[in-house]
Amino acid sequence: MKKIYLLIAAIALIMSACNSNKVKVRGDVKDLVGTVKLLAEMPGQQGMVVLAQQEVTDGKIDLETEQLQIPARVWIDIAGKNTLTTIIDSKDQIWIQGKAKFADQIEVKGSGLDKEYNKLKKMFAEKYEGPIEPIDKNIQKLMNKEKRNANDEVMLGVFQLQRQRYIRARANYVKNLIEANPTQELSLFLLQDELQDSTDLQKRLFKLINVPNKESNLYKTVAEKMQ
């Protein structure tokens, strides 16, 4: 009988741990000393909210919060040296690493959703941002001229048109991606980040999104912005 009670107690403890909303962000940043903060946008609140704060003395980071419903986008302030942005999609897998003296190289890992989103952003950079860079340089060069002749004005118009074509192509790609993946949480990030210049399009696409978890920090914060 005693063994049965112990087994029941163990199961209850495991179930309690599984149901906990506690999210952990840990790490090891060599020689880091200072205040580390975990921040996020929270439903019903304005601006960034500090969810957890720690005075780090030995480089070991251990932040915990029960305020998040994952998935969620968070910002991690590394003692004022760098601010990392990541997506938390698990309660105990996020890890920060690096060296304090190379603050710009400090990394945060452990999120599968963040990894997938970074792949998309890399593709955007290669397919759209890369080709726009030389166009922007040409536009700036012409804009900096004290006196532009008729040919300059024509070329300026050509470059601006080329730039707009890449911007429209990117927006259309994102639109089609969201429409094809309405149940994927990445669609919420794309909607929020990539289509800021078209509120009407954002709201229309948001009505198509049907992610399984509508209680997440991600869904609720996006939903508020679409009102």
Side-chain angles (χ1 to χ4, degrees), residues 190-212:
L190 290 169
L191 178 76
Q192 184 175 218
D193 298 346
E194 293 288 328
L195 302 175
Q196 296 179 22
D197 293 336
S198 180
T199 303
D200 290 340
L201 179 59
Q202 281 184 316
K203 290 181 177 180
R204 183 171 67 79
L205 290 174
F206 182 71
K207 292 178 181 178
L208 302 178
I209 292 178
N210 188 28
V211 296

Side-chain angles (χ1 to χ4, degrees), residues 5-63:
Y5 286 141
L6 289 173
L7 180 60
I8 292 173
I11 292 172
L13 185 63
I14 292 171
M15 291 301 293
S16 175
C18 291
N19 293 331
S20 171
N21 287 328
K22 184 179 289 184
V23 172
K24 298 179 180 179
V25 175
R26 295 175 292 181
D28 188 355
V29 177
K30 187 177 180 182
D31 299 325
L32 178 65
V33 175
T35 305
V36 177
K37 299 176 183 178
L38 177 67
L39 307 98
E41 291 182 309
M42 299 298 290
Q45 300 187 54
Q46 295 293 322
M48 291 289 180
V49 177
V50 178
L51 304 178
Q53 183 170 314
Q54 178 195 4
E55 295 299 326
V56 176
T57 59
D58 58 359
K60 301 294 189 292
I61 297 172
D62 190 0
L63 298 165

Side-chain angles (χ1 to χ4, degrees), residues 27-32 36 61 76-85 95-109:
D28 188 355
V29 177
K30 187 177 180 182
D31 299 325
L32 178 65
V36 177
I61 297 172
I76 306 163
D77 183 344
I78 307 294
K81 300 176 182 294
N82 191 5
T83 300
L84 309 175
T85 306
W95 182 261
I96 302 166
Q97 64 186 35
K99 299 178 180 179
K101 67 178 180 178
F102 302 121
D104 60 332
Q105 297 178 27
I106 297 173
E107 298 179 297
V108 56
K109 298 182 177 181

Side-chain angles (χ1 to χ4, degrees), residues 2 14 23 27 30 32 42 58 61 86 98 106 114 118 151 155 163 173 181 196-197 217 226:
K2 185 177 180 180
I14 292 171
V23 172
K30 187 177 180 182
L32 178 65
M42 299 298 290
D58 58 359
I61 297 172
T86 192
I106 297 173
D114 193 63
N118 284 333
N151 185 62
M155 292 309 300
R163 190 179 196 281
Y173 182 88
N181 298 276
Q196 296 179 22
D197 293 336
N217 178 273
M226 296 300 109

Side-chain angles (χ1 to χ4, degrees), residues 132 135 159-169:
I132 283 179
I135 295 173
F159 291 136
Q160 288 172 336
L161 182 60
Q162 289 176 345
R163 190 179 196 281
Q164 285 302 313
R165 283 175 179 167
Y166 278 107
I167 291 173
R168 283 198 297 269

Side-chain angles (χ1 to χ4, degrees), residues 142-156:
L142 288 171
M143 293 294 289
N144 289 340
K145 292 184 73 170
E146 292 185 8
K147 293 183 179 181
R148 293 194 296 270
N149 57 35
N151 185 62
D152 291 334
E153 295 294 346
V154 170
M155 292 309 300
L156 183 59

